[in-house]
Amino acid sequence: MQNYSIFSLIKNAFSNHEKWDLAWKDPSPKKEYDVVIIGGGGHGLATAYYLAKEHQITNVAIIEKGWIGGGNVGRNTTIIRSNYMHDDNGLFSEFGMDLWRRMSQDLNYNVMFSPRGIINLAHSDAQMNVYARRGNSMRLNGIDAVLLNREQVQEIIPMADFSENVRFPIFGGLMQPSAGTARHDAVAWGYARQADSMGVDIIQNCEVIGFDVSAGKITGVRTSRGDIKAKKIGLCVAGSTNILAEKLNMRLPIETHLLQACVSEPVKPVLDKVVTFGAGHFYISQSDKGEMVMGGDLDGYNSYAQRGNLPTLQHVLTEGIAMMPFLSKLKMLRTWGGIMDMSMDGSPIIDKTHIEGLYLNCGWCYGGFKATPASGWTFAHTIAQDKVHKLNAGYSLNRFNTGHLLDEKGLGTKTWIS
Amino acid sequence: MLYIKCPHCGMRSQNEFSYGGDASVKRPELNKEISDQEWDNFVYNRKSLRGKHWELWQHLSGCRQWIKVQRDTATHEIFNTLKAEEEIN
């Protein structure tokens, strides 16, 4: 594999950048693999990368119905954070933060990780108390957290609405200074390129039609490009999880919902933090190109549409304007939607299943992108060792049966309002 | 924007409704031995497939009645609406 560096850049300049190697190959599926990962999104690519890198398992295929970078890894708002209260979520995410900090070097690919900090705004005394509690829980887990009062928030984001007569006055906020953003496409491409270089076959335009299970053990997968035998299969298909579960006669605590995001026209640098509105569901950051990147609520009903509905967009942007009135002057450049695997307690599932050799990675709700490296790392461990790592022990499938829910927000089973 | 035909009020915009989830889920019958699996299926496990989906909506800013709607989860086409007490065929 060609190393990316200033020297390779200069060298290729002499050939008008026409002689770069392909970042990854386009192989046809082989008859058999040790491990097949279904889903060539961020999580699937990261899983294959860590299988090869950490466990020396390289006879691996990633099969992807569409193309690399076309699903949620290219549809998110690129926010990276570990500001969780529960130990299982906090420790898992903070492990991921360490991987994020090293990612550009590890992958030899600039993922433009920008630890600019995230501020969750509080709009009441009660919310300040809740944030103080969450901040303390974070610090006990070694995650940085700073509780800000109104004046401190105003210093950092003076463009927010600090006037007296607002419906949701800003009381303060909880900041995680080490949180930030990264270039989402680069994460997918970086993992794909490295996985490919270590021998992983990335097979695109390959749809799963069915599974072969015999005597409680997975033996292969049937695809639109032929049958593939596999000793182990990992599902990493986000919003399509229920479709594949149906083919396996499994019912999961997952519903598929649509989440929209949008960007404004590019403007000069105004916001150097990620900010979330605490009285509703709205988050915003500014991209390096100057666009304001925004998102918020789900569309509110089960959906596989991968495109949004305007009432939700209007609702979300109303919250944005309540928080930062200057947004009303911006034109929208693009909107898009992705289908989310919403779990019943708001936390993910990375676990074995009742079928031997079949592993499940789903339930990422709003937070799939930031979990990409930690999800791939722990899922690779779970597949390679056939047992869960302590980092994903809390993300078990049977927690819904045993009552050990990870309800970070405590909103119950109505996935469409969580 | 979805337009939903409320069986009580007629065609109204989505803004008047609030969503209530999968309408095919049935609470296990009382006074009967109920397995953990049955409770799981009622409380947590959902099919949530692509295609036709029976779901509950409440006409919150209208007659406030709960209704059942059959909608395609990929195209959002609405095929049928029923009153809450009417059985899904």
Side-chain angles (χ1 to χ4, degrees):
Chain A
M1 185 185 64
Q2 221 170 9
N3 199 51
Y4 291 164
S5 69
I6 181 72
F7 304 109
S8 65
L9 192 64
I10 293 166
K11 185 178 148 215
N12 279 279
F14 291 109
S15 51
N16 286 326
H17 296 292
E18 286 169 357
K19 293 188 176 156
W20 287 101
D21 290 348
L22 286 177
W24 58 87
K25 298 177 281 292
D26 185 22
S28 292
K30 290 192 284 190
K31 288 272 173 266
E32 186 166 1
Y33 290 94
D34 291 338
V35 180
V36 168
I37 303 296
I38 301 172
H43 291 222
L45 294 163
T47 303
Y49 168 75
Y50 290 112
L51 275 173
K53 180 169 175 254
E54 303 288 337
H55 306 278
Q56 290 73 49
I57 299 173
T58 55
N59 186 21
V60 176
I62 295 170
I63 56 178
E64 163 60 44
K65 182 184 171 189
W67 67 96
I68 298 304
N72 291 347
V73 74
R75 293 168 184 266
N76 55 77
T77 45
T78 80
I79 298 165
I80 293 161
R81 60 190 175 85
S82 59
N83 54 357
Y84 287 99
M85 188 178 78
H86 287 308
D87 291 349
D88 288 308
N89 287 330
L91 294 171
F92 175 89
S93 302
E94 187 56 18
F95 175 79
M97 293 301 293
D98 278 336
L99 296 174
W100 279 113
R101 290 176 196 118
R102 308 197 300 262
M103 190 182 288
S104 291
Q105 286 73 30
D106 285 351
L107 299 181
N108 179 230
Y109 207 106
N110 185 5
V111 300
M112 298 163 71
F113 177 54
S114 163
R116 61 184 67 183
I118 186 169
I119 301 173
N120 301 136
L121 294 179
H123 307 274
S124 66
D125 283 328
Q127 202 166 18
M128 285 297 283
N129 289 341
V130 170
Y131 281 4
R133 183 187 178 208
R134 175 150 62 94
N136 285 332
S137 299
M138 288 165 62
R139 293 173 73 127
L140 286 171
N141 282 330
I143 304 162
D144 55 329
V146 184
L147 193 65
L148 305 169
N149 62 27
R150 179 179 165 92
E151 288 69 35
Q152 289 167 315
V153 173
Q154 188 162 16
E155 202 145 296
I156 300 169
I157 49 165
M159 78 296 288
D161 195 346
F162 287 91
S163 54
E164 295 300 320
N165 290 318
V166 293
R167 173 65 184 84
F168 300 109
I170 295 167
F171 276 54
L174 181 65
M175 178 160 73
Q176 184 191 1
S178 68
T181 60
R183 170 100 197 273
H184 51 192
D185 303 311
V187 175
W189 299 335
Y191 274 124
R193 174 168 162 266
Q194 286 293 344
D196 175 87
S197 79
M198 289 188 282
V200 172
D201 281 357
I202 297 173
I203 300 158
Q204 302 176 71
N205 302 309
C206 182
E207 183 178 0
V208 170
I209 296 164
F211 294 89
D212 291 318
V213 181
S214 85
K217 192 176 180 331
I218 200 95
T219 57
V221 58
R222 279 170 274 142
T223 77
S224 58
R225 296 180 67 176
D227 295 356
I228 303 170
K229 285 197 182 118
K231 295 184 187 76
K232 294 177 175 181
I233 292 180
L235 300 189
C236 272
V237 294
S240 300
T241 301
N242 284 311
I243 294 176
L244 293 192
E246 171 84 355
K247 297 182 198 298
L248 289 155
N249 290 320
M250 290 168 73
R251 279 183 82 181
L252 297 172
I254 301 282
E255 281 187 343
T256 295
H257 285 269
L258 185 104
L259 184 59
Q260 296 192 66
C262 57
V263 292
S264 74
E265 58 187 330
V267 289
K268 287 191 175 179
V270 56
L271 180 64
D272 62 356
K273 294 274 183 285
V274 181
V275 183
T276 73
F277 185 52
H281 204 166
F282 174 81
Y283 39 88
I284 185 166
S285 62
Q286 189 169 22
S287 75
D288 291 344
K289 287 183 283 185
E291 303 151 332
M292 308 306 291
V293 186
M294 298 168 279
D297 285 306
L298 298 172
D299 265 22
Y301 39 87
N302 295 42
S303 177
Y304 280 88
Q306 280 193 314
R307 64 179 191 283
N309 210 335
L310 285 174
T312 302
L313 203 58
Q314 184 178 32
H315 171 73
V316 166
L317 292 174
T318 305
E319 295 176 46
I321 290 166
M323 185 173 93
M324 292 182 177
F326 81 95
L327 295 174
S328 69
K329 298 212 168 72
L330 298 181
K331 292 188 178 71
M332 282 302 130
L333 191 67
R334 282 179 289 129
T335 78
W336 65 94
I339 52 173
M340 305 293 121
D341 35 339
M342 301 299 295
S343 71
M344 288 288 167
D345 63 355
S347 296
I349 296 161
I350 308 176
D351 204 357
K352 299 161 66 170
T353 65
H354 71 284
I355 299 170
E356 195 186 330
L358 182 76
Y359 305 85
L360 185 63
N361 180 332
C362 64
W364 291 99
C365 300
Y366 300 90
F369 176 69
K370 63 146 197 305
T372 304
S375 164
W377 196 95
T378 54
F379 198 40
H381 181 279
T382 304
I383 293 172
Q385 312 285 330
D386 193 38
K387 63 175 188 218
V388 297
H389 190 271
K390 69 175 184 208
L391 283 168
N392 62 315
Y395 293 160
S396 67
L397 178 56
N398 77 350
R399 70 176 185 269
F400 298 93
N401 187 276
T402 60
H404 294 88
L405 300 185
L406 271 172
D407 47 351
E408 187 77 24
K409 287 189 186 166
L411 283 170
T413 60
K414 291 184 171 54
T415 58
W416 55 92
I417 58 165
S418 63
Chain B
M1 176 80 78
L2 301 181
Y3 288 91
I4 300 171
K5 189 178 171 188
C6 173
H8 307 280
C9 314
M11 196 70 89
R12 299 296 176 93
S13 93
Q14 169 197 341
N15 289 337
E16 295 186 12
F17 294 84
S18 101
Y19 188 63
D22 190 337
S24 67
V25 176
K26 281 212 166 64
R27 190 185 172 89
E29 278 180 45
L30 292 175
N31 306 320
K32 220 180 81 176
E33 193 62 33
I34 301 163
S35 68
D36 285 355
Q37 190 57 48
E38 284 174 282
W39 276 120
D40 278 2
N41 285 340
F42 169 62
V43 181
Y44 298 118
N45 295 334
R46 297 289 178 268
K47 278 195 168 174
S48 186
L49 294 176
R50 188 187 175 95
K52 286 184 179 180
H53 186 242
W54 276 105
E55 54 204 20
L56 294 167
W57 289 78
Q58 189 188 12
H59 195 184
L60 196 69
S61 307
C63 64
R64 302 188 65 81
Q65 295 295 309
W66 283 92
I67 61 169
K68 290 172 181 165
V69 177
Q70 190 188 35
R71 181 181 58 90
D72 190 303
T73 57
T75 65
H76 301 327
E77 184 182 352
I78 290 172
F79 304 100
N80 203 353
T81 52
L82 297 173
K83 293 175 184 170
E85 67 270 23
E86 289 176 313
E87 285 296 322
I88 298 166
N89 295 316

